[in-house]
Amino acid sequence: MKKKKSKIKTNSNLKDQKLGQTKNSAKLVLFVFGIGPIIGIIIFLYSKGFFNSPTI
């Protein structure tokens, strides 16, 4: 009985480690695809002069 419990614990530990890696990679993907386009839009608008004050 004790051996079976130890096997279950090691399996759950492996699942937790895999889940942690999945969560970290999901956070990375969300950061890249969430912040990346915003930075790209800001660079594009800056290159077109959107943030320059208008001269009258």
Side-chain angles (χ1 to χ4, degrees):
M1 292 296 237
K2 290 182 181 180
K3 289 183 181 179
K4 287 183 181 178
K5 287 182 181 180
S6 65
K7 286 182 181 178
I8 292 172
K9 287 180 182 177
T10 55
N11 287 340
S12 65
N13 286 341
L14 290 174
K15 287 180 183 178
D16 290 341
Q17 288 175 353
K18 288 180 183 177
L19 232 155
Q21 290 175 352
T22 306
K23 285 182 182 179
N24 288 339
S25 60
K27 288 179 184 178
L28 178 66
V29 168
L30 286 174
F31 180 77
V32 168
F33 287 103
I35 302 297
I38 294 172
I39 293 173
I41 290 169
I42 290 173
I43 291 172
F44 174 76
L45 290 174
Y46 184 78
S47 69
K48 297 295 179 183
F50 182 79
F51 297 108
N52 295 339
S53 61
T55 55
I56 299 175

